[in-house]
Amino acid sequence: MFSLPHRSPRDLPFVTGHTALLLVDMQRAWLEPQFDPHLEGPDAAYFLNRTRAQVVPNQQMLLNAFRRARQNVLHTIIESLTADGRDRSLDHKLSDMHLPKGSAQARVIAELTPSENEIVLPKTSSGVFNSTNIDYVLRNLETRHLIVAGIVTDQCVDMAVRDAADRGYLVTLVEDACATYSAERHEACLNAIKGYCWITDTQTVLGRLREMQP
């Protein structure tokens, strides 16, 4: 099991007005079995159990804490800009991955519904920095600390962490607010990306928010 606390030079106090939460792909398509025929078998059972019992409740706590602290929240979802998906990346076309613009399956799950003033960024690639203007948005928001949680740990979350680090953000990954399809894959990803971020848990992030510097 990945050892916490994780020692990292990125483990620095959060700063008011310069700290944002990014929730990655917490949408109905991947979390409600009626939309995804792949959500069956032991790997899917592990994934659904972890998301329902741990990931979603922890993200709800993070979301509520960021709202109370009046810090920025961003949601990224996989969603085409068109109904027919002609704008999708080649990889998504080859993978037959298409969530039409405005479709029910593309929406964020009810438990994490974005507020009217929160930013939702639709993407058609694994990396949110590759197919959205998130870097431009984060810089306009004067973001320095980017707190990341979501699914899947070793795919879209992994890419968000690496790409944010490369662009100069101090990245915090909330380990118990992320999930993939096996414990082994989750642990392997944490060990692979620990040089790009500070890895911690929900309660630690909540404590840091309460202690946040002005």
Side-chain angles (χ1 to χ4, degrees):
M1 185 172 182
F2 189 84
S3 179
L4 292 174
H6 170 223
R7 298 188 181 277
S8 169
R10 297 155 193 83
D11 176 5
L12 297 170
F14 301 158
V15 179
T16 301
H18 301 284
T19 301
L21 175 66
L22 173 64
L23 298 181
V24 178
D25 298 353
M26 297 300 296
Q27 53 198 128
R28 299 180 69 191
W30 322 126
L31 293 165
E32 297 183 13
Q34 72 267 29
F35 290 119
D36 189 351
H38 299 102
L39 289 177
E40 56 185 25
D43 289 349
Y46 166 84
F47 174 76
L48 289 174
N49 288 339
R50 180 176 170 92
T51 53
R52 290 168 180 164
Q54 185 176 54
V55 171
V56 172
N58 284 341
Q59 288 193 16
Q60 287 178 303
M61 287 191 285
L62 291 167
L63 188 56
N64 289 332
F66 267 80
R67 288 169 175 171
R68 286 193 301 270
R70 299 181 180 274
Q71 300 305 291
N72 287 302
V73 175
L74 300 91
H75 307 256
T76 186
I77 58 173
I78 294 176
E79 182 185 44
S80 299
L81 299 175
T82 56
D84 62 10
R86 64 186 183 277
D87 61 288
R88 289 172 296 163
S89 65
L90 176 60
D91 179 68
H92 276 204
K93 289 173 181 174
L94 293 173
S95 301
D96 195 26
M97 185 179 295
H98 173 42
L99 301 182
K101 179 181 179 180
S103 60
Q105 60 266 39
R107 294 177 195 152
V108 174
I109 59 173
E111 297 94 325
L112 301 167
T113 300
S115 72
E116 183 180 14
N117 203 34
E118 290 171 358
I119 296 166
V120 180
L121 296 167
K123 64 186 174 79
T124 52
S125 65
S126 293
V128 63
F129 284 85
N130 292 330
S131 58
T132 79
N133 64 343
I134 188 172
D135 188 41
Y136 173 81
V137 171
L138 289 173
R139 295 190 190 282
N140 286 347
L141 297 173
E142 299 183 353
T143 304
R144 180 65 168 155
H145 296 267
L146 185 63
I147 319 305
V148 179
I151 56 175
V152 216
T153 314
D154 54 349
Q155 295 179 13
C156 295
V157 173
D158 179 304
M159 290 198 68
V161 167
R162 293 173 187 264
D163 288 345
D166 278 353
R167 286 164 174 79
Y169 298 97
L170 292 168
V171 183
T172 297
L173 178 65
V174 192
E175 180 275 329
D176 58 357
C178 299
T180 186
Y181 292 97
S182 71
E184 293 77 16
R185 282 176 55 171
H186 183 75
E187 296 293 323
C189 180
L190 297 181
N191 280 301
I193 63 173
K194 62 186 178 183
Y196 295 88
C197 58
W198 174 45
I199 301 173
T200 189
D201 58 20
T202 298
Q203 289 303 318
T204 300
V205 170
L206 295 177
R208 290 290 176 90
L209 283 172
R210 290 190 293 268
E211 300 165 356
M212 197 157 49
Q213 297 179 352

Short mmCIF file of all heavy atoms in Angstrom, two decimals, residues 60 75 90 99 113 116 123 129 164 171 181 196 204:
data_model
loop_
_atom_site.label_atom_id
_atom_site.label_comp_id
_atom_site.label_asym_id
_atom_site.label_seq_id
_atom_site.Cartn_x
_atom_site.Cartn_y
_atom_site.Cartn_z
N GLN A 60 -17.44 14.85 -1.98
CA GLN A 60 -18.48 15.73 -1.46
C GLN A 60 -17.93 16.60 -0.33
O GLN A 60 -18.23 17.80 -0.26
CB GLN A 60 -19.67 14.91 -0.96
CG GLN A 60 -20.51 14.30 -2.08
CD GLN A 60 -21.64 13.46 -1.53
OE1 GLN A 60 -21.44 12.51 -0.77
NE2 GLN A 60 -22.86 13.82 -1.90
N HIS A 75 -14.72 21.43 -12.76
CA HIS A 75 -15.09 20.06 -13.08
C HIS A 75 -14.71 19.82 -14.53
O HIS A 75 -15.01 20.65 -15.40
CB HIS A 75 -16.60 19.85 -12.95
CG HIS A 75 -17.18 20.26 -11.63
ND1 HIS A 75 -17.55 19.34 -10.67
CD2 HIS A 75 -17.47 21.49 -11.11
CE1 HIS A 75 -18.04 19.98 -9.63
NE2 HIS A 75 -18.00 21.28 -9.86
N LEU A 90 -8.74 11.75 -32.40
CA LEU A 90 -8.63 10.49 -33.14
C LEU A 90 -8.67 9.31 -32.18
O LEU A 90 -9.32 8.28 -32.46
CB LEU A 90 -7.33 10.47 -33.94
CG LEU A 90 -7.03 9.16 -34.69
CD1 LEU A 90 -8.13 8.83 -35.70
CD2 LEU A 90 -5.67 9.24 -35.38
N LEU A 99 -19.59 10.90 -25.94
CA LEU A 99 -20.68 11.38 -25.11
C LEU A 99 -21.19 12.65 -25.77
O LEU A 99 -20.52 13.69 -25.73
CB LEU A 99 -20.20 11.65 -23.68
CG LEU A 99 -19.59 10.46 -22.94
CD1 LEU A 99 -19.19 10.86 -21.52
CD2 LEU A 99 -20.57 9.30 -22.90
N THR A 113 -23.06 17.70 -8.31
CA THR A 113 -23.56 18.66 -9.30
C THR A 113 -22.86 20.01 -9.16
O THR A 113 -22.86 20.60 -8.07
CB THR A 113 -25.07 18.85 -9.16
OG1 THR A 113 -25.72 17.59 -9.35
CG2 THR A 113 -25.60 19.84 -10.18
N GLU A 116 -23.90 26.92 -9.99
CA GLU A 116 -24.04 27.82 -11.13
C GLU A 116 -22.75 28.56 -11.45
O GLU A 116 -22.46 28.84 -12.62
CB GLU A 116 -25.16 28.83 -10.85
CG GLU A 116 -25.44 29.78 -12.00
CD GLU A 116 -26.55 30.77 -11.66
OE1 GLU A 116 -26.90 30.90 -10.48
OE2 GLU A 116 -27.06 31.42 -12.60
N LYS A 123 -14.08 17.83 -22.39
CA LYS A 123 -12.85 17.45 -23.10
C LYS A 123 -13.10 16.21 -23.95
O LYS A 123 -14.03 15.44 -23.71
CB LYS A 123 -11.71 17.18 -22.11
CG LYS A 123 -11.91 16.01 -21.16
CD LYS A 123 -10.77 15.95 -20.14
CE LYS A 123 -10.99 14.88 -19.08
NZ LYS A 123 -10.67 13.53 -19.54
N PHE A 129 -5.54 19.18 -20.10
CA PHE A 129 -4.72 20.28 -20.59
C PHE A 129 -4.53 20.20 -22.11
O PHE A 129 -4.10 21.18 -22.73
CB PHE A 129 -3.36 20.29 -19.89
CG PHE A 129 -3.42 20.84 -18.49
CD1 PHE A 129 -3.75 20.01 -17.43
CD2 PHE A 129 -3.15 22.17 -18.24
CE1 PHE A 129 -3.81 20.51 -16.13
CE2 PHE A 129 -3.21 22.69 -16.95
CZ PHE A 129 -3.55 21.85 -15.89
N ALA A 164 -0.31 19.35 -15.31
CA ALA A 164 -0.35 20.52 -14.44
C ALA A 164 1.03 20.80 -13.85
O ALA A 164 1.47 21.95 -13.77
CB ALA A 164 -1.37 20.32 -13.32
N VAL A 171 0.82 20.67 -7.45
CA VAL A 171 -0.29 19.73 -7.53
C VAL A 171 -0.38 18.88 -6.27
O VAL A 171 0.62 18.34 -5.80
CB VAL A 171 -0.15 18.81 -8.76
CG1 VAL A 171 -1.35 17.88 -8.87
CG2 VAL A 171 0.00 19.63 -10.04
N TYR A 181 -9.53 0.60 -11.67
CA TYR A 181 -10.23 -0.68 -11.71
C TYR A 181 -9.59 -1.80 -10.89
O TYR A 181 -10.08 -2.92 -10.91
CB TYR A 181 -10.44 -1.10 -13.16
CG TYR A 181 -11.40 -0.17 -13.84
CD1 TYR A 181 -10.95 0.90 -14.62
CD2 TYR A 181 -12.77 -0.30 -13.67
CE1 TYR A 181 -11.83 1.79 -15.20
CE2 TYR A 181 -13.66 0.58 -14.26
CZ TYR A 181 -13.19 1.62 -15.01
OH TYR A 181 -14.07 2.51 -15.58
N TYR A 196 5.57 14.10 -9.25
CA TYR A 196 4.91 15.24 -9.89
C TYR A 196 3.95 15.96 -8.96
O TYR A 196 3.42 17.01 -9.33
CB TYR A 196 4.11 14.77 -11.11
CG TYR A 196 4.96 14.21 -12.21
CD1 TYR A 196 5.30 12.85 -12.24
CD2 TYR A 196 5.43 15.02 -13.25
CE1 TYR A 196 6.08 12.32 -13.24
CE2 TYR A 196 6.20 14.49 -14.26
CZ TYR A 196 6.53 13.13 -14.25
OH TYR A 196 7.29 12.62 -15.25
N THR A 204 -6.52 15.39 5.43
CA THR A 204 -5.39 16.31 5.46
C THR A 204 -5.67 17.56 4.63
O THR A 204 -5.37 18.68 5.05
CB THR A 204 -4.12 15.61 4.95
OG1 THR A 204 -3.84 14.48 5.79
CG2 THR A 204 -2.92 16.55 4.98
#
